[in-house]
Amino acid sequence: VEMSGLSHAEMEGCRNLLGLLNNDEILALCDTITNRLVQPEDRQDAIRAILVYSQSVEELLKRRKVHREVIFKYLATQGVIIPPATEKHNLIQHAKDYWKKQLHWKLKETPEPVKTEDVRVFEQQEKEDKKAEKIDFRRLGEEFCHWFFELLNSQNPFLGPPQDEWGPQHFWHDVKLRFYYNTSEQNVIDYHGAEIVSLRLLSLVKEEYLFLSPNLDSHGLKCASSPHGLVMVGVAGTVHRGNTCLGIFEQIFGLIRCPFVENTWKIKFINLRIIGESSLAPGTLTKPAITLEPSDLEAFYDINSLCGSEVRLVRQALDSGTGDQAL
């Protein structure tokens, strides 16, 4: 039974607004509101609990953990433009008024006649939206790899203090990592969940002191997208420890855009292969290449994700002992 004191429009609005907070903030807010009596399973569960146990919109939005900037950003995404210096209590009032209006529009039974001018504006908006959809995936892949490997490598203690915070916030909560390595032994291990995946990747650089150097030329980086909004980035590179090159890596990322934060993509799955120099064919080390074509990446998505099955590698490389096949 929902005890919440929020109307349906307020519930939906607050759900979208809370989507702008990071996982730690959501969990802390859930703890405060439920007095730690609810142990949420994941982010969505925590948001649900926050909404259900909030007595009113004011009570929820006045919380210290719901920053003024978050309410401001939410209103801006809804097209409610307010002076940036507006105080928090006024922003709360604007949000309440906006949700009241939404309810009012839903209750209006007779739709008003549409003006030609409105249609023109709508069509223009549609054109602009279509333009925005044309993403340069190659550039997105390059930017993502620069960001990802710089951030991950910066956690290596040999390189001084980390440049930024590494953690589960960069992954979807149900992310999957399949880690295959062929060094002195062969192994394939699966990891599930943002916390464990981020910790496993972190330990490669922080505890094993590895440094992953991606090859971002046309051979080392391949990108593709699925019709469902998933972007695949395949990248190859060399693995180093100090001044020694240990072998190569091949990695496929599945990225999905975060609906609440503009221009932000989060990692849905990763397949990572690390192959030691002793297991490589001669000459492979000089310029590691991703041997997948973009069409292979698309097929990889179709086979694995549409069926809802585990993300598995397309090729049989995992089962073969030679280590010089493609991903």
Side-chain angles (χ1 to χ4, degrees), residues 209-254:
Y209 306 116
L210 299 183
F211 182 93
L212 304 181
S213 176
N215 169 21
L216 298 183
D217 69 13
S218 56
H219 301 295
L221 176 69
K222 297 275 169 75
C223 306
S225 69
S226 82
H228 308 272
L230 181 112
V231 172
M232 314 282 291
V233 177
V235 62
T238 45
V239 182
H240 306 258
R241 183 181 288 127
N243 296 323
T244 313
C245 182
L246 303 176
I248 66 165
F249 73 88
E250 290 181 341
Q251 199 160 3
I252 289 187
F253 297 91

Side-chain angles (χ1 to χ4, degrees), residues 277 279-285 322-324:
E277 194 176 2
S279 309
L280 288 171
T284 318
L285 261 184
T322 56
D324 57 355

Side-chain angles (χ1 to χ4, degrees), residues 58-202:
E58 280 96 328
E59 187 210 46
L60 172 55
L61 299 187
K62 274 181 182 165
R63 300 268 179 195
R64 217 164 19 135
K65 292 180 178 76
V66 182
H67 308 297
R68 191 188 73 85
E69 292 75 17
V70 173
I71 305 172
F72 178 84
K73 195 192 262 187
Y74 165 78
L75 289 168
T77 63
Q78 302 301 307
V80 182
I81 307 303
I82 294 154
T86 307
E87 286 180 12
K88 186 175 175 181
H89 67 273
N90 289 331
L91 288 173
I92 293 172
Q93 194 52 53
H94 278 292
K96 282 176 64 185
D97 293 346
Y98 172 65
W99 293 326
K100 232 184 234 139
K101 258 192 217 148
Q102 278 198 315
L103 198 62
H104 181 60
W105 288 331
K106 279 192 182 139
L107 293 175
K108 268 193 185 176
E109 281 182 34
T110 51
E112 287 179 15
V114 178
K115 302 188 193 89
T116 338
E117 190 187 332
D118 293 343
V119 172
R120 220 173 291 132
V121 169
F122 177 71
E123 282 171 356
Q124 185 58 34
Q125 187 57 49
E126 248 193 336
K127 267 186 209 154
E128 278 167 25
D129 289 349
K130 285 221 170 73
K131 243 187 261 166
E133 275 171 25
K134 288 181 183 162
I135 296 162
D136 179 346
F137 292 111
R138 167 88 204 173
R139 192 158 155 257
L140 173 70
E142 261 177 52
E143 284 178 9
F144 168 76
C145 286
H146 278 300
W147 167 82
F148 179 85
F149 290 105
E150 269 177 34
L151 178 61
L152 183 61
N153 287 326
S154 78
Q155 313 298 314
N156 186 321
F158 288 158
L159 302 178
Q163 63 165 26
D164 212 340
E165 200 184 331
W166 174 268
Q169 68 273 20
H170 304 305
F171 304 86
W172 289 98
H173 72 93
D174 57 352
V175 62
K176 292 184 175 123
L177 163 66
R178 170 155 283 204
F179 181 30
Y180 165 78
Y181 57 90
N182 184 358
T183 46
S184 52
E185 53 177 315
Q186 280 189 57
N187 227 325
V188 185
I189 309 170
D190 288 330
Y191 300 89
H192 294 218
E195 195 70 46
I196 195 86
V197 167
S198 78
L199 286 172
R200 182 62 190 100
L201 291 170
L202 179 63

